[in-house]
Amino acid sequence: MARIGVFICHCGENISATVDCPKVSEVAAKFPGVAFSTDYKYMCSDPGQSLVVNAIKEHKLTGIVVSACSPRMHEPTFRRACAEGGLNPYQCEMANIREHCSWVHEKGDKTDQKAIDIVRMMVEKVKRNNALLPIKVPVTKTALVIGGGVAGIQAALDIANAGHKVIMVERDPSIGGHMSQLSETFPTLDCSQCILTPRMVEVAQNPNIKLYTYAEIESVEGFVGNFNVKIRKKAKSVDETLCNGCGMCTTKCPNKKNPNEFELGMGNRPAIYVPFPQAVPNIPVIDKTQCTYYKNGKCKICEKVCQPKAIRFDQEDEIIEVAVGAIALCTGFDIKKTDFFPEYGYGKYKDIIDGLQFERLASASGPTSGEIRRPSDGQVPKKIVFVACAGSRDPAKGIEYCSKICCMYTAKHAILYKHKVHDGQAYIFYMDIRAAGKNYDEFTRRAIEEDQAQYIRGRVSRIYERDGKLIVVGADTLMNAQTVEIEADMVVLATAGVANKGAEELAQKLHVSYDQHKFFSEAHPKLKPVETNTAGIYLAGACQSPKDIPESVAAASGVAGKIACLFANSELTREPLIAMVDRQAPPMYSSCTGCFLCQPVCPYNAIEREEVKDRNGNLVRELAFINPGLCQGCGTCVAVCKSKSIDIEGYTNLQMYAEVDALLNS
Amino acid sequence: MKLGFYPGCSLEGASREYNESVMAIAEKIGIELVSIPDWNCCGATAAHNLNKELSLSLPARNLALAEEAGLTELVVPCAACYSRFTMVQHELMHDEPLHKRVNEIIGKEYKGNLRILNVIQFIDEYVIDKLDENVKFEFNKKVACYYGCLLVRPNKVLKFDRTEDPQTMDIVMKKLGADAIDWAYKTECCGAGFSVSFTEAVARLSGNIVEDAVHRGAEAIIVACPMCHSNLDMRRKEIDKFNGKKSDIPVIYITQAIGVALGIDHKKLGLQRHFVPVNLKDFKPFVKKEIDVEKPQNMEVE
Ligand SMILES: Cc1cc2nc3c(=O)[nH]c(=O)nc-3n(C[C@H](O)[C@H](O)[C@H](O)COP(=O)(O)OP(=O)(O)OC[C@H]3O[C@@H](n4cnc5c(N)ncnc54)[C@H](O)[C@@H]3O)c2cc1C
């Protein structure tokens, strides 16, 4: 005989303000098989849990229904309490009367009735629960880091230094990400390359790290501890094992007028190129869309000048398969380009540039060797306007959020500008100065007080060109919303930070969720900031939302810590809520007919053929067998099984019908 | 082809030439414009400042009358009337109780099935494809197309052209052989309804517009709104005073410009009615050429 206990939680007022909890408890007490029913203010609290534990012992309960929040929230808590009371932890069910009831309905009889029905369903279900044992799976102690920006670099180094193997996959020909393009960094103004390059080299030299550049993720299968990943290593047309990075090919390449991505179009590069001098690895790639040989079948000058004979025109993309136990997503961000702004000329004015382009102009290794010269005619701009929040915090542009880094880098730009153009004047249009962070506010004060940046609080409605000047029209909201017009020589738009190209496709390949702006979502905004909602996949840096370097690095170390914890165990415990094929005593063996329709529908390749043999070793039957290590409990096989021989443990057909029955016959 | 037509007060008064030129090109292209029977004032700027229900009911009655007359599309040349009509339709279709209330007030049932078009939408949908076969003269002038505030705003409601840098008129003028310049004041405010009550503001705002067009060498300003026209044309004396220099750039309705190219008699287009005389001459015979303009997409984010 089942003896079920029902525990109705008030969740403070979250449930009790809408649902009459004592009444639900009273009604539930009369359900057949219920031996005990009560309600309590916070069931998840210590006294609440003790209440559950004691009730199980005292009333000799065989199963419990905790009627509270979503199982995503506290199922583990109450399974533990259930076990402490002496029951199998899977004899516990959650009846969700918060998300599914009190939060979405008004107070009233109907709402109470719905709560009662939900409890009734779960009581009928738990009566049919079986005791289940957790599944153990091995852990592959190798981590995959996707993206080699500062976040990916930090994560890879930390994991490698913890003694684990790391595979890093970077889309570009070099690691480094956006940080390698920056000139100096706020709030200390230390040179970006100088602090980043040593770490890049460390990645290349660490024996625990295997680096694949010019590579992308092709597919990801498996689950925490046991992912199988295919990496597409794009053809560089260069044999990396032979190339010694001498640079002859890039110098001699006659096709030199291709827009330089690293300089954001403000310079040219040859068709065979290394993105920047400090690139890691220092190995060139041929851009097949630009190379004369690939286009016309003639040239091959690089091949002729290459001493180690490393050029390979016939090289093809390579697919590399690796097994990893955890994945760190560090694919970073991008910024809107100036052509996103019709009011600022749709990108048609050469001297309206974005923040990254300014970084390149200010960088000693940039196209102007660090002198601030405007792109149109190379003049030094004497009046420069910075527009903060270009696109950010603007619902009309579809970007409601604050891009967070722009206030700081705009202040930095104003400072750098003043350091380089002493008689120049910088104006900054802003909405608010958001400079929260250690030494951040002091930094923006420095821009204003020491470097005389003139901050104008207001937005820029339009920029147009007239007689070689850029007329910036804005409002000064601190001066009675007066119109301000500035005749500028150059304008820098601090354009919104947005999700990186390809973020959505990558998220879909990895089954991690992302928000409406295509930034990857963390599992919990406060308590699980570096986890995704897919176990074993973590995220760090600006792929989650615009972040500055310290934040990206901190998150990356967080991820490394998480992965090191995961790798501290050689086995993982998994929920036993997986599919099982019926097994019986001979001569039946199973109701499975061996049709194997289930095999092709399984997304996880978890269904195998099991041969049943008699004592003499003769094959009697072939039956479906589900590999517990691979099955994710999705239930697709259950739906296609004609003989109804497959069930999901914890969600058997019997349990499901009992729930439906309880609802219909209430 | 028959389309509904709402003239409103300006087209019967100060902007008669707008009415005349719309009618003239419609006739030439073979479109009959049918006025809404017993139409009333749209409420213009006054009603929505004073009384919300009145400001909704005045246009709603016109719209209901148009539906009753069996019209499905309505051409509204005045940008202010057009704005009121589209806004009212939008508001009523998104607010059921309000819709009911307004139907009660006007004693009619407005169903909301009308498509409301301003003149540039009308041209874009019905006229532009007929130009090549009908145009006689090339409009070989440098022009500044001026859209003002209401024709393409708010994008959320109109879903037409792009707010900050509209192109529809520019494309039409380029098709007619004009050089439509890129300039700064395309969508800046002209002073609109302040023409009478606060003339200095109009002189300043419209002054900037005229000045920039002249500075960039435009020979005519092309408009599609009676208020823009009267501010830029009728207030030219005040504008010139504000700018401290005399200007003779004419302000021409887009429908007049099309009419000129179609070879319609200038009198029939009302070109003689302007304060700033229109002395456009030396039009060459039209030769069709391909122009490389991309039709503007609705650029805004939903
Ligand atoms: C103009 C400007 C100035 C800035 N100045 C400062 C400053 O002074 N101080 C500061 O602290 N911060 C600054 N920042 C912020 C800083 O750039 C970021 O915090 C930092 O770059 C984030 O690092 P990340 O590794 O998360 O992303 P990223 O730097 O974007 O790196 C991501 C990497 O992942 C790779 N990748 C992307 N997609 C894939 C894929 N599908 N597969 C494989 N690889 C992929 C990319 O190629 C790239 O190498 C500035 C930003 C801008 C725009």
Side-chain angles (χ1 to χ4, degrees):
Chain A
M1 255 307 276
R3 293 179 59 79
I4 309 300
V6 176
F7 303 86
I8 317 283
C9 177
H10 293 205
C11 194
E13 290 213 319
N14 274 302
I15 297 173
S16 66
T18 322
V19 172
D20 184 345
C21 295
K23 182 169 121 196
V24 177
S25 164
E26 251 169 61
V27 177
K30 300 197 191 88
F31 292 160
V34 170
F36 176 78
S37 176
T38 188
D39 61 296
Y40 187 68
K41 200 160 174 76
Y42 287 108
M43 210 59 87
C44 61
S45 66
D46 248 5
Q49 291 188 49
S50 311
L51 192 156
V52 175
V53 173
N54 293 335
I56 294 173
K57 289 180 181 156
E58 195 175 319
H59 298 276
K60 302 199 165 45
L61 301 179
T62 59
I64 62 168
V65 172
V66 182
S67 175
C69 51
S70 158
R72 288 192 70 113
M73 195 78 197
H74 273 307
E75 194 172 60
T77 313
F78 293 110
R79 284 214 175 124
R80 236 177 289 126
C82 190
E84 216 182 301
L87 292 176
N88 179 282
Y90 295 91
Q91 300 290 10
C92 160
E93 288 293 341
M94 299 292 293
N96 182 354
I97 59 165
R98 194 178 75 174
E99 285 85 343
H100 286 180
C101 191
S102 70
W103 276 1
V104 289
H105 299 301
E106 310 266 305
K107 190 177 172 68
D109 286 344
K110 281 189 179 162
T111 305
D112 292 344
Q113 190 54 48
K114 180 170 175 184
I116 290 167
D117 286 342
I118 295 174
V119 175
R120 189 198 323 269
M121 286 162 70
M122 296 326 283
V123 167
E124 287 309 315
K125 182 183 184 199
V126 79
K127 283 183 193 171
R128 289 158 182 85
N129 276 19
N130 298 320
L132 301 175
L133 294 175
I135 301 169
K136 303 268 188 208
V137 283
V139 178
T140 310
K141 294 187 183 180
T142 300
L144 171 70
V145 175
I146 309 177
V150 66
I153 290 173
Q154 182 70 33
L157 289 175
D158 283 357
I159 300 168
N161 290 337
H164 303 293
K165 296 273 179 227
V166 177
I167 295 164
M168 177 182 272
V169 174
E170 164 58 51
R171 185 164 65 182
D172 284 350
S174 169
I175 58 172
H178 284 101
M179 190 173 164
S180 61
Q181 290 173 298
L182 307 182
S183 51
E184 271 79 40
T185 53
F186 65 76
T188 43
L189 289 188
D190 38 1
C191 149
S192 190
Q193 286 276 5
C194 316
I195 54 176
L196 182 67
T197 316
R199 317 230 68 196
M200 289 163 59
V201 173
E202 244 185 275
V203 167
Q205 290 175 347
N206 192 307
N208 274 343
I209 301 177
K210 173 75 195 148
L211 174 61
Y212 294 107
T213 51
Y214 215 45
E216 281 179 61
I217 300 301
E218 186 79 4
S219 68
V220 176
E221 276 164 22
F223 52 92
V224 52
N226 300 273
F227 293 103
N228 293 313
V229 183
K230 286 196 181 126
I231 301 166
R232 174 179 291 273
K233 202 165 161 313
K234 290 174 281 185
K236 292 182 174 173
S237 308
V238 172
D239 186 333
E240 290 171 276
T241 55
L242 296 178
C243 173
N244 60 12
C246 70
M248 276 304 272
C249 52
T250 56
T251 348
K252 296 289 179 202
C253 175
N255 182 351
K256 286 208 166 58
K257 285 260 154 65
N258 305 293
N260 188 333
E261 297 87 354
F262 188 78
E263 305 294 1
L264 300 135
M266 297 185 304
N268 293 327
R269 61 154 175 78
I272 182 165
Y273 69 103
V274 178
F276 54 100
Q278 304 88 336
V280 169
N282 181 23
I283 291 175
V285 298
I286 297 184
D287 187 328
K288 291 186 182 173
T289 62
Q290 295 156 344
C291 169
T292 318
Y293 172 70
Y294 283 102
K295 288 209 304 215
N296 308 335
K298 284 202 193 80
C299 183
K300 291 202 175 183
I301 290 179
C302 50
E303 193 180 40
K304 281 178 212 115
V305 299
C306 178
Q307 266 180 348
K309 300 276 165 257
I311 304 291
R312 293 283 177 278
F313 288 110
D314 58 353
Q315 200 176 56
E316 283 180 7
D317 288 6
E318 203 184 325
I319 303 287
I320 296 159
E321 287 187 46
V322 295
V324 297
I327 300 176
L329 266 175
C330 306
T331 52
F333 71 123
D334 201 354
I335 58 168
K336 278 282 180 213
K337 300 288 176 296
T338 51
D339 62 5
F340 182 63
F341 302 91
E343 63 276 34
Y344 308 149
Y346 271 127
K348 70 185 166 217
Y349 303 129
K350 274 192 168 168
D351 295 329
I352 301 185
I353 60 172
D354 64 41
L356 270 180
Q357 289 175 310
F358 187 86
E359 295 284 343
R360 293 314 299 150
L361 291 184
S363 171
S365 64
T368 54
S369 307
E371 286 179 31
I372 306 295
R373 293 185 174 278
R374 62 185 198 175
S376 66
D377 56 4
Q379 295 288 322
V380 176
K382 294 291 157 143
K383 254 191 202 178
I384 187 166
V385 172
F386 295 92
V387 181
C389 298
S392 308
R393 300 176 70 194
D394 189 350
K397 290 253 184 295
I399 303 172
E400 307 85 4
Y401 57 85
C402 163
S403 292
K404 205 173 178 190
I405 51 179
C406 338
C407 280
M408 289 305 292
Y409 78 59
T410 298
K412 174 181 78 178
H413 290 173
I415 293 174
L416 292 177
Y417 172 72
K418 193 69 183 176
H419 290 186
K420 288 165 189 274
V421 185
H422 301 303
D423 57 345
Q425 177 63 51
Y427 300 87
I428 299 175
F429 283 91
Y430 73 103
M431 285 207 227
D432 298 293
I433 303 178
R434 297 193 163 169
K438 194 169 175 180
N439 292 324
Y440 280 20
D441 201 55
E442 295 90 320
F443 186 75
T444 58
R445 294 310 312 170
R446 176 174 162 193
I448 298 168
E449 285 156 19
E450 285 175 34
D451 294 308
Q452 286 107 36
Q454 196 173 326
Y455 274 70
I456 304 169
R457 186 178 181 282
R459 309 210 61 190
V460 173
S461 61
R462 185 169 296 273
I463 305 172
Y464 59 88
E465 198 187 356
R466 196 170 142 137
D467 303 335
K469 295 269 180 194
L470 290 163
I471 315 295
V472 182
V473 187
D476 188 339
T477 56
L478 301 181
M479 287 285 276
N480 210 8
Q482 257 180 35
T483 309
V484 186
E485 266 192 34
I486 296 172
E487 280 188 12
D489 301 314
M490 187 162 111
V491 176
V492 183
L493 304 179
T495 58
V498 293
N500 216 335
K501 284 174 285 300
E504 193 173 16
E505 293 81 359
L506 186 64
Q508 287 167 355
K509 275 182 196 159
L510 274 82
H511 301 290
V512 304
S513 42
Y514 49 96
D515 64 21
Q516 73 265 42
H517 303 293
K518 318 272 190 295
F519 284 114
F520 303 142
S521 303
E522 60 285 336
H524 190 284
K526 284 151 254 177
L527 303 178
K528 291 184 173 176
V530 299
E531 289 97 321
T532 69
N533 51 10
T534 303
I537 304 185
Y538 304 87
L539 80 183
C543 60
Q544 181 182 15
S545 61
K547 283 187 173 30
D548 59 17
I549 296 165
E551 265 189 300
S552 302
V553 170
S557 286
V559 165
K562 290 279 171 192
I563 291 179
C565 289
L566 184 71
F567 289 177
N569 309 291
S570 41
E571 271 188 337
L572 281 182
T573 310
R574 282 191 57 218
E575 289 263 46
L577 306 178
I578 56 162
M580 294 289 256
V581 186
D582 170 64
R583 286 293 184 271
Q584 299 174 21
M588 272 296 285
Y589 298 104
S590 169
S591 59
C592 168
T593 59
C595 72
F596 291 102
L597 277 180
C598 50
Q599 221 171 14
V601 301
C602 175
Y604 304 99
N605 287 332
I607 299 179
E608 297 167 5
R609 282 173 186 261
E610 186 182 44
E611 299 184 340
V612 181
K613 292 181 178 156
D614 66 14
R615 282 182 200 196
N616 306 325
N618 303 319
L619 183 67
V620 185
R621 297 265 307 270
E622 269 197 318
L623 301 175
F625 169 75
I626 292 166
N627 181 331
L630 295 176
C631 175
Q632 297 294 298
C634 72
T636 314
C637 55
V638 180
V640 299
C641 180
K642 285 190 192 161
S643 58
K644 306 241 172 303
S645 306
I646 316 183
D647 251 334
I648 300 274
E649 293 283 11
Y651 295 90
T652 62
N653 285 335
L654 196 68
Q655 288 172 301
M656 296 288 99
Y657 290 137
E659 279 190 48
V660 177
D661 210 37
L663 183 66
L664 297 180
N665 297 328
S666 65
Chain B
M1 171 103 235
K2 223 187 207 178
L3 296 175
F5 185 66
Y6 176 81
C9 60
S10 15
L11 272 81
E12 302 226 316
S15 314
R16 271 158 64 191
E17 70 276 26
Y18 195 13
N19 200 8
E20 289 163 351
S21 55
V22 173
M23 289 301 175
I25 65 165
E27 189 191 307
K28 190 91 181 175
I29 252 80
I31 291 172
E32 192 189 341
L33 294 175
V34 190
S35 283
I36 304 173
D38 191 31
W39 60 268
N40 54 266
C41 168
C42 74
T45 42
H48 64 274
N49 280 325
L50 299 171
N51 181 321
K52 167 134 192 187
E53 285 188 345
L54 180 68
S55 77
L56 294 167
S57 303
L58 286 169
R61 180 173 178 277
N62 288 318
L63 295 170
L65 284 171
E67 275 183 355
E68 277 176 13
L71 301 168
T72 52
E73 286 181 272
L74 186 66
V75 180
V76 186
C78 169
C81 304
Y82 168 72
S83 168
R84 289 309 306 147
F85 280 27
T86 44
M87 292 306 289
V88 166
Q89 185 173 48
H90 182 80
E91 251 188 88
L92 297 189
M93 290 308 114
H94 289 86
D95 188 339
E96 226 182 278
L98 191 65
H99 189 186
K100 267 208 183 119
R101 169 77 188 131
V102 168
N103 280 347
E104 257 169 49
I105 296 175
I106 63 175
K108 295 184 181 308
E109 159 116 22
Y110 173 51
K111 296 191 196 67
N113 297 329
L114 267 181
R115 274 194 72 222
I116 306 168
L117 306 173
N118 62 30
V119 152
I120 60 175
Q121 284 170 306
F122 164 66
I123 294 169
D124 190 43
E125 285 189 28
Y126 293 104
V127 181
I128 202 160
D129 292 334
K130 302 241 174 87
L131 288 180
D132 285 344
E133 51 191 275
N134 287 306
V135 168
K136 294 215 164 52
F137 298 108
E138 195 174 298
F139 202 98
N140 50 350
K141 308 281 172 237
K142 220 169 167 183
V143 298
C145 294
Y146 174 63
Y147 295 75
C149 55
L150 293 174
L151 281 179
V152 291
R153 285 197 187 97
N155 189 276
K156 207 164 73 188
V157 177
L158 306 185
K159 303 206 163 46
F160 170 69
D161 213 330
R162 51 193 195 197
T163 312
E164 299 296 348
D165 183 17
Q167 290 293 332
T168 315
M169 287 208 274
D170 293 68
I171 292 173
V172 174
M173 291 313 294
K174 283 179 190 167
K175 275 207 137 194
L176 298 180
D179 174 7
I181 62 164
D182 189 18
W183 64 310
Y185 283 84
K186 244 182 185 180
T187 57
E188 295 300 304
C189 176
C190 69
F194 286 119
S195 191
V196 181
S197 54
F198 190 11
T199 318
E200 298 97 274
V202 170
R204 175 165 52 84
L205 293 167
S206 290
N208 289 333
I209 296 167
V210 169
E211 202 276 331
D212 196 57
V214 171
H215 180 83
R216 288 169 201 263
E219 295 163 85
I221 300 176
I222 309 291
V223 299
C225 165
M227 277 179 301
C228 302
H229 190 274
S230 60
N231 282 337
L232 297 175
D233 182 54
M234 188 172 80
R235 292 291 170 216
R236 188 60 65 87
K237 211 168 74 199
E238 291 83 351
I239 286 172
D240 285 350
K241 201 168 139 213
F242 172 80
N243 283 335
K245 55 184 170 214
K246 197 145 169 44
S247 62
D248 55 7
I249 184 171
V251 187
I252 304 176
Y253 286 106
I254 178 106
T255 43
Q256 292 178 313
I258 295 174
V260 167
L262 290 174
I264 301 173
D265 177 36
H266 289 200
K267 269 238 160 74
K268 207 174 164 196
L269 297 167
L271 278 165
Q272 76 288 4
R273 295 190 192 277
H274 296 184
F275 283 80
V276 181
V278 185
N279 296 321
L280 297 174
K281 291 192 214 58
D282 307 328
F283 295 108
K284 285 195 229 106
F286 181 70
V287 200
K288 192 184 151 192
K289 28 181 180 229
E290 288 306 316
I291 52 159
D292 64 332
V293 279
E294 225 178 285
K295 206 174 145 123
Q297 297 299 310
N298 176 19
M299 296 288 293
E300 307 307 289
V301 201
E302 289 280 301

